[in-house]
Amino acid sequence: MPDAPVILADEPDSFAHGVLAARHPALIRTVRDAFPYGPEQRRALDALLTSATEGVIEPLGTEDDEQWVAWGAREYLGRSWFEVPFLWSESYFYRHLLQAVGFFGPGAWQGIDPFRPFKLAELDSPETDEELAALDRLTGQPAEKEARALLHGSLWGNRADLGFRLSAPGATTAVSQLVADDSEVLWSLLPVDTVCLVADNAGRELIPDLLLLDHLLRHGRARRALLHVKAYPYYISDATTADVVDAVRRLTGAKGTAADAGERLWSAMSDGRLEVRAHPFSCAPLPYADMPDDLRTQFAAADLTIFKGDLNYRRLVGDRLHPPTTSFADTTDWFPGPVAALRTLKSDVIVGLDSATEAALVAAEEQHWRTSGTHALIQVKP
């Protein structure tokens, strides 16, 4: 990986510090209130709250400690959460949170996703209804126009309606906020035999990802699709296999175009044209450059791999303070095949900008453009 500084959380005014100091404590309280956890789980959550804000990184006290030692724990245990790589401390926090609520058991709370109420609430929201209804406007449109709308729907995630409404007045907003746009390169790589999509969030973001895969399969742009999700609940809303099933059911229970897509996706999963995978490394606190050989082999077997979302981008290019004009292709030249990134900007990491774009963003927003979620990118290494 490029020799750029690894992002830490030790600067009080930094985005990373704010996540550890404010977002994580708030999440603990929210999870604590979302379930009628017993005294044991509540004590463990309270202890994690104290540790995360005032204490140091401690062992899990489980057999997973050996795995985390391999992932760097020996170097970081006993140190402040704010003094170790941000990607590592974030990941370890979520592993500790699952430990606190008894997710890994044994016990009655084993396998209970602590983030599930929030995921389901989003799936069942009126906003999701509106976005699914907007799909009907794509019916009868040329396949090329439909493809571009669905690509932008996947890109923007929770703002998927912007993508579905590309043909509406004022819809150029979704395009004008791209800081890099290699979409033409992406389309030039299709059709392929196998496309792989590494998912980000569940709920309203996962649905447009599934719709994009449905389009690729339906129009012969891919014979087969692989959908990589997290091996267990992670980063509040990251998608697991259960979330994929919930999203497909949400589609099949809708009306019109959405229901048709849901039926096709259900069928594709049943006959193997759409395969869900959940590798343990999906929840590792490391960049994908450090992935194990078996996962590297999986990615190498795909003709195109698309990484969705901010966290996957951080792991793809490395969670470092790269100069923004660093080449995306050079940063990802280790990846074993063509790779694309669809990402809304929500953290400090960024590569692949031209100098004029960077200068304009800084002049208009200082450095807030990196984390505001109002800009996005499509980057491709053929």
Side-chain angles (χ1 to χ4, degrees):
M1 299 298 292
D3 188 21
V6 174
I7 294 178
L8 307 178
D10 55 351
E11 293 291 336
D13 294 330
S14 68
F15 173 79
H17 188 279
V19 170
L20 267 60
R23 186 180 300 178
H24 285 182
L27 176 60
I28 293 173
R29 298 184 184 100
T30 300
V31 168
R32 195 178 189 275
D33 293 340
F35 287 90
Y37 289 122
E40 179 182 352
Q41 290 77 32
R42 299 175 83 81
R43 282 194 298 269
L45 287 169
D46 290 343
L48 177 59
L49 178 60
T50 300
S51 169
T53 54
E54 305 171 17
V56 297
I57 299 171
E58 300 173 353
L60 296 167
T62 72
E63 60 184 20
D64 274 7
D65 278 323
E66 183 177 343
Q67 175 63 79
W68 281 87
V69 165
W71 287 343
R74 182 176 288 112
E75 180 181 355
Y76 303 136
L77 291 176
R79 297 173 62 180
S80 166
W81 293 85
F82 297 87
E83 296 175 352
V84 306
F86 177 45
L87 178 63
W88 199 95
S89 59
E90 263 196 304
S91 297
Y92 199 59
F93 167 81
Y94 281 98
R95 179 59 183 82
H96 257 289
L97 178 60
L98 293 179
Q99 185 72 19
V101 299
F103 179 84
F104 294 103
W109 293 101
Q110 185 175 11
I112 302 299
D113 183 348
F115 314 127
R116 184 167 173 78
F118 320 128
K119 295 174 179 178
L120 291 180
E122 185 177 271
L123 266 184
D124 295 336
S125 68
E127 290 81 5
T128 301
D129 290 332
E130 294 173 6
E131 290 167 1
L132 295 183
L135 280 172
D136 291 336
R137 291 197 287 275
L138 293 179
T139 302
Q141 296 290 336
E144 196 69 24
K145 188 170 186 178
E146 176 185 326
R148 294 177 187 280
L150 292 173
L151 177 66
H152 280 271
S154 178
L155 170 65
W156 286 102
N158 285 355
R159 298 176 63 191
D161 58 321
L162 287 179
F164 295 151
R165 297 171 186 171
L166 281 179
S167 59
T172 54
T173 305
V175 177
S176 63
Q177 290 174 317
L178 296 185
V179 299
D181 185 4
D182 292 341
S183 55
E184 293 305 318
V185 180
L186 178 62
W187 295 123
S188 74
L189 297 177
L190 301 171
V192 296
D193 182 78
T194 302
V195 64
C196 174
L197 190 148
V198 183
D200 187 30
N201 292 327
R204 287 172 62 203
E205 179 169 346
L206 183 58
I207 283 179
D209 293 344
L210 289 167
L211 293 171
L212 177 62
L213 292 180
D214 170 62
H215 173 89
L216 297 179
L217 292 171
R218 179 163 53 104
H219 289 277
R221 296 189 180 219
R223 182 188 65 84
R224 180 168 175 257
L226 307 176
L227 179 63
H228 282 248
V229 297
K230 297 300 188 294
Y232 50 78
Y234 194 61
Y235 276 68
I236 308 175
S237 59
D238 281 25
T240 65
T241 303
D243 298 318
V244 175
V245 175
D246 285 340
V248 175
R249 282 179 172 159
R250 181 69 168 88
L251 286 167
T252 59
K255 299 178 181 178
T257 303
D260 293 340
E263 294 294 340
R264 288 192 299 268
L265 287 162
W266 191 279
S267 176
M269 292 176 70
S270 299
D271 63 27
R273 287 177 295 122
L274 173 56
E275 180 182 341
V276 180
R277 295 183 177 179
H279 194 282
F281 193 77
S282 66
C283 297
L286 303 174
Y288 272 103
D290 295 337
M291 63 182 153
D293 290 341
D294 64 327
L295 182 57
R296 186 180 297 270
T297 299
Q298 291 185 38
F299 286 140
D303 300 292
L304 171 65
T305 300
I306 301 171
F307 282 84
K308 264 299 308 292
D310 197 77
L311 175 59
N312 283 326
Y313 187 86
R314 292 165 59 192
R315 297 185 67 194
L316 179 64
V317 305
D319 203 36
R320 297 169 175 266
L321 291 173
H322 302 282
T325 54
T326 302
S327 165
F328 176 78
D330 289 347
T331 309
T332 58
D333 63 358
W334 55 269
F335 194 81
V339 62
L342 306 182
R343 176 227 183 178
T344 303
L345 276 59
K346 298 178 183 177
S347 67
D348 288 315
V349 179
I350 185 71
V351 299
L353 300 191
D354 61 58
S355 56
T357 298
E358 181 196 4
L361 288 167
V362 172
E365 305 176 38
E366 297 182 342
Q367 295 299 331
H368 300 298
W369 59 273
R370 293 173 178 257
T371 58
S372 64
T374 57
H375 299 284
L377 57 79
I378 301 172
Q379 293 176 327
V380 180
K381 184 211 77 171

CSV table of all heavy atoms in Angstrom, one decimal, residues 192-211:
chain,number,residue,atom,x,y,z
A,192,VAL,N,-19.9,-9.5,-18.7
A,192,VAL,CA,-18.9,-10.4,-18.1
A,192,VAL,C,-19.6,-11.7,-17.8
A,192,VAL,O,-20.8,-11.7,-17.7
A,192,VAL,CB,-18.2,-9.8,-16.9
A,192,VAL,CG1,-17.4,-8.6,-17.2
A,192,VAL,CG2,-19.2,-9.5,-15.8
A,193,ASP,N,-18.8,-12.7,-17.5
A,193,ASP,CA,-19.4,-13.9,-17.0
A,193,ASP,C,-19.8,-13.8,-15.5
A,193,ASP,O,-21.0,-14.1,-15.2
A,193,ASP,CB,-18.4,-15.1,-17.1
A,193,ASP,CG,-19.0,-16.4,-16.7
A,193,ASP,OD1,-19.8,-17.0,-17.4
A,193,ASP,OD2,-18.7,-16.8,-15.5
A,194,THR,N,-18.9,-13.3,-14.7
A,194,THR,CA,-19.2,-13.2,-13.2
A,194,THR,C,-18.8,-11.8,-12.7
A,194,THR,O,-17.7,-11.3,-12.9
A,194,THR,CB,-18.3,-14.2,-12.5
A,194,THR,OG1,-18.6,-15.5,-12.9
A,194,THR,CG2,-18.6,-14.1,-11.0
A,195,VAL,N,-19.8,-11.2,-12.1
A,195,VAL,CA,-19.6,-9.9,-11.4
A,195,VAL,C,-19.8,-10.1,-10.0
A,195,VAL,O,-20.6,-10.9,-9.5
A,195,VAL,CB,-20.6,-8.8,-11.9
A,195,VAL,CG1,-22.1,-9.2,-11.6
A,195,VAL,CG2,-20.3,-7.4,-11.4
A,196,CYS,N,-18.9,-9.4,-9.2
A,196,CYS,CA,-18.9,-9.6,-7.7
A,196,CYS,C,-19.2,-8.2,-7.2
A,196,CYS,O,-18.6,-7.2,-7.6
A,196,CYS,CB,-17.6,-10.1,-7.2
A,196,CYS,SG,-17.4,-10.1,-5.4
A,197,LEU,N,-20.2,-8.1,-6.2
A,197,LEU,CA,-20.4,-6.8,-5.6
A,197,LEU,C,-20.2,-7.0,-4.1
A,197,LEU,O,-20.8,-7.9,-3.4
A,197,LEU,CB,-21.9,-6.4,-5.8
A,197,LEU,CG,-22.2,-4.9,-5.4
A,197,LEU,CD1,-23.2,-4.3,-6.3
A,197,LEU,CD2,-22.7,-4.9,-3.9
A,198,VAL,N,-19.3,-6.2,-3.5
A,198,VAL,CA,-19.1,-6.3,-2.1
A,198,VAL,C,-20.0,-5.2,-1.4
A,198,VAL,O,-19.8,-4.0,-1.5
A,198,VAL,CB,-17.6,-6.0,-1.8
A,198,VAL,CG1,-17.3,-6.1,-0.2
A,198,VAL,CG2,-16.7,-6.9,-2.5
A,199,ALA,N,-21.0,-5.7,-0.7
A,199,ALA,CA,-22.1,-4.8,-0.2
A,199,ALA,C,-21.6,-4.0,1.0
A,199,ALA,O,-20.6,-4.3,1.7
A,199,ALA,CB,-23.3,-5.6,0.2
A,200,ASP,N,-22.3,-2.9,1.2
A,200,ASP,CA,-22.1,-2.0,2.3
A,200,ASP,C,-23.2,-2.2,3.3
A,200,ASP,O,-23.3,-3.1,4.0
A,200,ASP,CB,-21.9,-0.6,1.9
A,200,ASP,CG,-21.4,0.3,3.0
A,200,ASP,OD1,-20.8,-0.1,3.9
A,200,ASP,OD2,-21.8,1.6,2.9
A,201,ASN,N,-24.2,-1.2,3.3
A,201,ASN,CA,-25.2,-1.2,4.3
A,201,ASN,C,-26.4,-2.0,3.8
A,201,ASN,O,-26.7,-2.3,2.7
A,201,ASN,CB,-25.7,0.2,4.5
A,201,ASN,CG,-24.6,1.0,5.2
A,201,ASN,OD1,-23.8,0.5,6.0
A,201,ASN,ND2,-24.5,2.3,4.9
A,202,ALA,N,-27.2,-2.4,4.9
A,202,ALA,CA,-28.5,-3.1,4.7
A,202,ALA,C,-29.6,-2.1,4.3
A,202,ALA,O,-29.3,-0.9,4.1
A,202,ALA,CB,-28.9,-3.9,5.9
A,203,GLY,N,-30.8,-2.5,4.3
A,203,GLY,CA,-32.0,-1.6,4.2
A,203,GLY,C,-32.1,-0.9,2.9
A,203,GLY,O,-32.0,-1.5,1.8
A,204,ARG,N,-32.2,0.4,3.0
A,204,ARG,CA,-32.5,1.2,1.8
A,204,ARG,C,-31.3,1.3,0.9
A,204,ARG,O,-31.4,1.7,-0.3
A,204,ARG,CB,-32.9,2.6,2.2
A,204,ARG,CG,-34.4,2.7,2.7
A,204,ARG,CD,-34.7,4.0,3.3
A,204,ARG,NE,-34.6,5.1,2.3
A,204,ARG,CZ,-34.4,6.3,2.6
A,204,ARG,NH1,-34.2,6.7,3.8
A,204,ARG,NH2,-34.4,7.2,1.6
A,205,GLU,N,-30.1,1.0,1.4
A,205,GLU,CA,-28.9,1.0,0.5
A,205,GLU,C,-28.8,-0.4,-0.2
A,205,GLU,O,-28.4,-0.5,-1.4
A,205,GLU,CB,-27.6,1.3,1.2
A,205,GLU,CG,-26.4,1.2,0.3
A,205,GLU,CD,-25.2,1.8,1.0
A,205,GLU,OE1,-25.3,2.5,2.0
A,205,GLU,OE2,-24.1,1.6,0.4
A,206,LEU,N,-29.1,-1.5,0.5
A,206,LEU,CA,-29.0,-2.8,-0.1
A,206,LEU,C,-30.0,-3.0,-1.2
A,206,LEU,O,-29.6,-3.7,-2.2
A,206,LEU,CB,-29.1,-3.8,1.0
A,206,LEU,CG,-28.9,-5.3,0.5
A,206,LEU,CD1,-27.5,-5.5,-0.1
A,206,LEU,CD2,-29.1,-6.2,1.7
A,207,ILE,N,-31.1,-2.5,-1.1
A,207,ILE,CA,-32.2,-2.6,-2.1
A,207,ILE,C,-31.7,-2.2,-3.5
A,207,ILE,O,-31.7,-2.9,-4.5
A,207,ILE,CB,-33.5,-2.0,-1.7
A,207,ILE,CG1,-34.2,-2.9,-0.7
A,207,ILE,CG2,-34.4,-1.7,-3.0
A,207,ILE,CD1,-35.5,-2.3,-0.2
A,208,PRO,N,-31.1,-0.9,-3.6
A,208,PRO,CA,-30.6,-0.5,-5.0
A,208,PRO,C,-29.4,-1.4,-5.4
A,208,PRO,O,-29.2,-1.5,-6.6
A,208,PRO,CB,-30.3,0.9,-4.8
A,208,PRO,CG,-30.3,1.2,-3.4
A,208,PRO,CD,-31.2,0.2,-2.7
A,209,ASP,N,-28.6,-1.9,-4.5
A,209,ASP,CA,-27.6,-2.8,-4.9
A,209,ASP,C,-28.1,-4.0,-5.6
A,209,ASP,O,-27.7,-4.5,-6.6
A,209,ASP,CB,-26.7,-3.2,-3.7
A,209,ASP,CG,-25.9,-2.0,-3.1
A,209,ASP,OD1,-25.8,-1.0,-3.8
A,209,ASP,OD2,-25.5,-2.2,-2.0
A,210,LEU,N,-29.2,-4.6,-4.9
A,210,LEU,CA,-29.8,-5.8,-5.5
A,210,LEU,C,-30.5,-5.5,-6.8
A,210,LEU,O,-30.4,-6.3,-7.8
A,210,LEU,CB,-30.8,-6.3,-4.5
A,210,LEU,CG,-30.3,-6.9,-3.2
A,210,LEU,CD1,-31.4,-7.1,-2.2
A,210,LEU,CD2,-29.6,-8.3,-3.5
A,211,LEU,N,-31.1,-4.3,-6.9
A,211,LEU,CA,-31.7,-3.9,-8.2
A,211,LEU,C,-30.7,-3.8,-9.3
A,211,LEU,O,-31.0,-4.1,-10.5
A,211,LEU,CB,-32.5,-2.6,-8.0
A,211,LEU,CG,-33.7,-2.7,-7.1
A,211,LEU,CD1,-34.3,-1.3,-6.9
A,211,LEU,CD2,-34.8,-3.6,-7.7
